[in-house]
Structure formats: C-alpha cells, structure tokens
Amino acid sequence: MTETNIAENFKIVRQQINEAEKKCGRKEGSVKLCAVSKFHPVEEIEEALKCSQILFGENRVQEAYSKFSALKEKGFNNLQLHLIGALQSNKVKKACEISCAIESVDRESLLPEIEKHCSFFNKTMEVFFELHTGEDSKSGFKSEDEILFCAEKIASGKFPHVNLTGLMTMAPFTEDEALIRKSFSSLRNLKEKLNVSFPQLPVKELSMGMSGDFKIAIEEGSTIVRIGTSLFGRRDYSGTENQGVNA
Ligand SMILES: *Cc1c(COP(=O)(O)O)cnc(C)c1O
C-alpha cells in the first residue's frame, strides 16, 4: 500500500467514525481509533504516525515487540500499543514490557502473571476482558460468570498493577446484522453489570468493531474500534501458519 493511500484511508475512516457518532447522537470524539497494524511493516506504521495516529493494535507479541522497539529506538516515544490477540503465558513478560493495554485477557491464570511482570517493570497494565460472542472466533472467556469471577479477584485488591479498564469482543463474521448487533449489545450489557457490581473498578471502555462492522459497533456503544484492513489494506499471511489470530 502506498503512502498516499494510508493517509487517505485514515482520513476516510476517521470521517466515517465521526459520521457514525453523529448519526446515533454520540459526542464527536467519543470513539477512539485503534489502528491494527499486524502483518504490516514498520514503514507503514510510520505513515500512520505522520497522520497523528498514536494508538495501535497488534496481535502477536513477538512481531509487536520487534516493530515497536524499533520505533521507540527511532524516538517515537508516545506510542500506545494494545495487544489484541490470544496471549500465551510464556509471552506475558514481553507483552507487559511493550504494551500499555492487553485487550485479550481470556483466563484467570493470566492475572497473576501480568501482576508479577508489571510489578517488576513498575507499571500498571490496562486490562480488558475478552468475551467470546461470535461462533467463528475461538478466543475470549466463554461465559460472563467467569468474567464476573475474575473482576471480583481484581476488585479484592489482589492485583495492584492490574487495572480493569474495559471489555473486548469480536462479532461473528456474518452478513446478518442482527447477530452482529447482538454480540455488541451483550458486551455492553456485561459492562453495565460490572459497573453496578464493582463501582470501584474503572471499567469504561468497550473495544468492539472492526473494518466490516464498526458502524454497528458505534451504534451499540463502542468506545474503541480496532481497524486494520480499511487503513492498511489486506494483510499478507503467506509464510505464516495461522490467520493472525494468535499473539
Ligand atoms: C485483525 C484484528 C482486527 C482488525 O481487523 P480488520 O478486519 O482488518 O479491521 C481487530 N481486532 C482483532 C482482535 C484482530 O485480530
């Protein structure tokens, strides 16, 4: 993808986000754009930086680590990196070092790991619980009860370097708008439940909406849309075994 295309794509997508906000009566700027740069090289991320983009999403720890340490060495220090892919336990340390948020927390056992490493790095991690709402994706907590259970652990003060700031989901890949909407509204309902049960926890973000469904997500209350393809073009998966879903 050429430079001009990336700049043009950012303009178009930001405009579409603004229009979607307006259309459903939400305040302009209430939805953040997370630019998903997975499988795209550092040079293309730099094009995005020229468009004043600072929030990025990556789904594989090793790839994110090499690309974003290179950018930091080049002096780009105000970048915000969110990890959005399934996280293996042996990669938590690197994940904690490189990112400011892990959106794909999908099991209780990650919490003590994140706590341990963030305590070592002397930083607080923003954690999102990922809820499985789409038939196609395998990632995420399978039930709301597990999420409520984990939220209670955090609320008890066991993990002082873990800040539960939001929830994340991927809607099913379908043309059926009702199904997509249902996935997003179930995430919003869960957030409301958490806000009632644990008012002391700062659960405010709803990370939902991708290139194909972000307008619906914004109507359903999304505060962060994670967009890759519409900004950077199609990803080249050749030479990899998976479809880019694992951290
Ligand atoms: C790849 C990915 C995205 C971006 O998807 P696009 O359809 O390219 O916009 C968003 N969220 C997650 C979790 C992803 O893995």
Side-chain angles (χ1 to χ4, degrees):
M1 182 138 296
T2 66
E3 295 178 16
T4 44
N5 276 347
I6 290 179
E8 182 65 19
N9 290 345
F10 268 91
K11 216 167 111 189
I12 293 168
V13 167
R14 284 170 175 160
Q15 219 161 20
Q16 288 172 334
I17 292 172
N18 279 345
E19 274 161 23
E21 286 169 338
K22 257 188 240 158
K23 194 178 148 209
C24 57
R26 297 185 56 191
K27 221 172 83 196
E28 209 177 304
S30 50
V31 180
K32 288 181 273 239
L33 170 60
C34 177
V36 178
S37 48
K38 65 187 187 196
F39 289 82
H40 291 279
V42 168
E43 295 72 39
E44 293 186 16
I45 300 175
E46 287 185 43
E47 291 312 313
L49 291 167
K50 284 186 198 155
C51 308
S52 308
Q53 183 66 26
I54 56 166
L55 174 57
F56 293 89
E58 288 276 346
N59 69 338
R60 301 189 302 176
V61 174
Q62 190 51 55
E63 179 188 340
Y65 194 85
S66 45
K67 291 194 301 193
F68 283 79
S69 353
L71 286 164
K72 275 185 189 159
E73 272 168 31
K74 284 186 170 188
F76 298 108
N77 288 314
N78 61 341
L79 295 182
Q80 295 173 3
L81 175 63
H82 285 201
L83 276 176
I84 58 174
L87 183 56
Q88 294 167 16
S89 304
N90 60 359
K91 299 205 175 129
V92 175
K93 185 175 184 190
K94 271 195 170 164
C96 289
E97 188 178 344
I98 197 77
S99 67
C100 64
I102 302 176
E103 294 198 12
S104 40
V105 172
D106 62 356
R107 58 193 185 278
E108 188 197 354
S109 61
L110 286 175
L111 297 176
E113 289 292 313
I114 295 171
E115 173 59 30
K116 180 176 76 185
H117 296 299
C118 284
S119 159
F120 174 78
F121 291 122
N122 195 20
K123 71 194 270 188
T124 304
M125 184 58 67
E126 286 188 30
V127 156
F128 292 48
F129 287 151
E130 179 178 358
L131 178 64
H132 175 90
T133 61
E135 283 312 307
D136 318 288
S137 91
K138 291 184 188 71
S139 52
F141 281 99
K142 297 297 178 290
S143 80
E144 297 195 359
D145 283 347
E146 290 174 71
I147 288 187
L148 289 162
F149 177 81
C150 289
E152 194 172 348
K153 293 261 152 127
I154 293 177
S156 76
K158 248 181 109 173
F159 307 111
H161 296 82
V162 172
N163 234 352
L164 183 62
T165 46
L167 299 174
M168 189 268 263
T169 199
M170 274 197 273
F173 300 105
T174 170
E175 300 280 295
D176 187 342
E177 200 182 302
L179 276 181
I180 297 171
R181 215 171 268 287
K182 201 172 131 215
S183 149
F184 293 149
S185 64
S186 68
L187 197 70
R188 188 187 61 232
N189 290 334
L190 177 58
K191 175 184 164 283
E192 280 159 14
K193 260 186 229 171
L194 286 167
N195 291 153
V196 170
S197 303
F198 307 104
Q200 70 275 43
L201 294 178
V203 189
K204 53 187 191 310
E205 307 287 4
L206 284 172
S207 176
M208 53 192 205
M210 304 173 31
S211 292
D213 56 20
F214 72 89
K215 290 174 194 167
I216 303 172
I218 290 172
E219 287 172 19
E220 295 298 330
S222 171
T223 65
I224 301 177
V225 290
R226 308 177 309 272
I227 298 182
T229 309
S230 296
L231 295 171
F232 297 105
R234 291 174 66 92
R235 290 176 285 274
D236 179 9
Y237 292 122
S238 60
T240 63
E241 280 168 27
N242 65 44
Q243 292 295 293
V245 288
N246 294 314

